[in-house]
Amino acid sequence: MDWLKFFRAEKKANSAKTAKDRLMLAVAYQRSGLANGPAYLPKLREELLGVVRKYIQVPDDAVQFSVQREAGLEVLELNITLPDQP
Amino acid sequence: MAKIIVVTSGKGGVGKTTTSASFATGLAQRGHKTAVIDFDVGLRNLDLIMGVERRVVFDFVNVINGEASLKQALIKDKHVDTLYILAASQTRDKDALTQEGVERVLNELAQDFEYIVCDSPAGIEKGAFMAMYFADEALVVTNPEVSSVRDSDRVLGILSSKARIAEKGLGKVKEHLVLTRYSPARVAKGEMLSVEDVKEILAIPLLGVVPESPAVLTCSNSGVPVIRDDNSDAGLAYRDLVDRFLGEERPHRFLTEPKKSLLSKLFGGG
């Protein structure tokens, strides 16, 4: 029945696009260092957030971590976004 | 000075050994004295793909342990006379590969060979790590499929932080993407990640694309590296890949499906 298919509009499933989108996210997570960083990272993040909150009210995503490796050195980068008005 | 190249991927079954065998054969065919080492201790396979399984007397671990000399353990290829194979041990486990032992063997090989190709086992454990650690360059073998791409990215992270030259701050392992089992027809239908997609995600230079090809299986059946099959698309793709590695310009072939005639579209056959 191949000749019938020729006249039918081809159905585009484009699962490749889905694969690419999912991979972009998975790879970004992997590269942030959180996936394979030291095991204490999540706890450290939580406790730091606690300390910051003693003084200022910040949302959960105000503390951001990344672990980067450069020339044999591991660098922990910590970013705390303070609210506009204290 | 010898160049050490690791063939790695993270994920199993994507074509590391096939690529190692053809890449090493191709380098040797171009006149470069090349050794290819199987790092998959306990599950050796390179000897079968190279067709030398009946000639293995001593292996990599024997040399590391001083039970045999490198000269005794290296198997000279019968078809390409600048090519030598060092088989993995079938009986030991991967702890037999010590960093000092591997380094000693590689140093000894480096005195006599131009290229040393290290066929890594799957995973990121000791055997894979040993294969990667001493590398100057890496062929990262990837299939256009989500788990393989993610594993390749993971391996790239390890190469850039844990390889010897990175660890010692001497530079960076030069990375090459080798995309295997590529099916242009499925890419055209939106069913498979394209070369461009994978390049964009992994962000490393593309060395070659090897199309999905029945020749890979048939060649492995008879222990012939597929690069020696000049009539196959996979063989030609590997030949181009080796030429590119040696600095020559080769356009990428096999990225689009062969044009079908109107008749075959109407009446099948594909």
Side-chain angles (χ1 to χ4, degrees):
Chain A
M1 295 301 268
D2 270 330
W3 61 276
L4 272 179
K5 248 192 253 165
F6 185 70
F7 297 104
R8 232 183 279 142
E10 204 165 297
K11 202 172 68 192
K12 276 266 190 299
N14 216 327
S15 59
K17 173 83 172 63
T18 316
K20 188 181 177 187
D21 294 344
R22 291 174 61 219
L23 266 171
M24 294 291 237
L25 276 177
V27 162
Y29 174 67
Q30 205 157 256
R31 286 183 191 157
S32 71
L34 296 180
N36 38 21
Y40 57 76
L41 268 185
K43 195 143 190 291
L44 176 65
R45 183 181 180 279
E46 207 170 289
E47 286 184 23
L48 276 169
L49 195 59
V51 174
V52 173
R53 279 191 178 147
K54 273 189 184 171
Y55 303 92
I56 331 152
Q57 266 316 308
V58 292
D60 272 359
D61 59 358
V63 177
Q64 280 175 353
F65 269 127
S66 68
V67 180
Q68 272 153 20
R69 295 186 183 85
E70 283 162 23
L73 276 181
E74 223 164 307
V75 179
L76 171 68
E77 199 181 288
L78 173 64
N79 250 310
I80 305 177
T81 318
L82 296 179
D84 286 342
Q85 278 159 8
Chain B
M1 212 179 88
K3 200 170 261 182
I4 302 177
I5 304 130
V6 62
V7 179
T8 180
S9 71
K11 191 175 181 299
V14 297
K16 278 185 298 298
T17 302
T18 302
T19 299
S20 299
S22 281
F23 181 62
T25 303
L27 289 171
Q29 282 174 328
R30 296 284 309 264
H32 300 287
K33 197 167 177 192
T34 305
V36 55
I37 310 176
D38 190 348
F39 274 75
D40 204 347
V41 175
L43 290 170
R44 77 170 177 225
N45 275 321
L46 182 69
D47 55 337
L48 272 178
I49 301 299
M50 297 290 303
V52 300
E53 71 278 8
R54 292 197 297 181
R55 295 167 59 209
V56 180
V57 182
F58 295 111
D59 58 56
F60 192 15
V61 174
N62 290 138
V63 182
I64 288 176
N65 292 344
E67 295 150 4
S69 69
L70 193 52
K71 212 177 158 190
Q72 288 173 304
L74 281 173
I75 304 164
K76 191 175 191 302
D77 191 80
K78 283 196 169 152
H79 302 272
V80 189
D81 63 1
T82 45
L83 180 60
Y84 290 79
I85 298 111
L86 185 54
S89 167
Q90 188 67 301
T91 51
R92 321 287 177 100
D93 64 40
K94 53 189 179 302
D95 291 329
L97 296 180
T98 60
Q99 189 162 315
E100 301 72 39
V102 172
E103 183 167 22
R104 208 178 57 240
V105 174
L106 290 177
N107 283 341
E108 200 181 330
L109 282 170
Q111 292 171 13
D112 206 23
F113 286 87
E114 286 174 77
Y115 291 103
I116 303 168
V117 178
C118 303
D119 180 21
S120 169
I124 48 174
E125 284 168 42
K126 192 155 184 197
F129 181 72
M130 281 300 136
M132 268 189 253
Y133 186 68
F134 297 98
D136 302 303
E137 304 199 21
L139 305 194
V140 180
V141 183
T142 308
N143 291 170
E145 174 268 328
V146 286
S147 53
S148 172
V149 176
R150 177 158 78 175
D151 288 0
S152 291
D153 183 71
R154 183 87 171 84
V155 160
L156 287 168
I158 296 171
L159 278 169
S160 66
S161 61
K162 302 265 173 69
R164 179 180 56 175
I165 56 175
E167 201 181 61
K168 306 218 153 147
L170 300 171
K172 192 175 180 306
V173 178
K174 191 172 177 196
E175 298 150 341
H176 306 271
L177 174 61
V178 177
L179 196 58
T180 55
R181 308 200 69 164
Y182 196 65
S183 172
R186 302 199 71 185
V187 173
K189 283 189 203 150
E191 291 174 1
M192 182 182 268
L193 290 164
S194 70
V195 187
E196 297 307 320
D197 292 339
V198 180
K199 265 169 70 183
E200 189 185 331
I201 295 163
L202 294 179
I204 58 171
L206 177 70
L207 183 64
V209 178
V210 182
E212 173 80 64
S213 163
V216 173
L217 178 63
T218 53
C219 283
S220 80
N221 287 341
S222 37
V224 176
V226 71
I227 194 170
R228 279 182 32 216
D229 181 356
D230 283 329
N231 298 318
S232 72
D233 46 1
L236 295 172
Y238 275 117
R239 188 162 303 281
D240 286 353
L241 178 155
V242 169
D243 292 346
R244 270 183 224 115
F245 183 85
L246 294 172
E248 288 163 30
E249 291 276 333
R250 290 283 180 278
H252 288 280
R253 299 189 259 181
F254 316 113
L255 297 188
T256 48
E257 58 182 319
K259 294 255 185 300
K260 273 197 210 163
S261 68
L262 180 65
L263 275 179
S264 71
K265 268 188 184 169
L266 282 171
F267 299 106

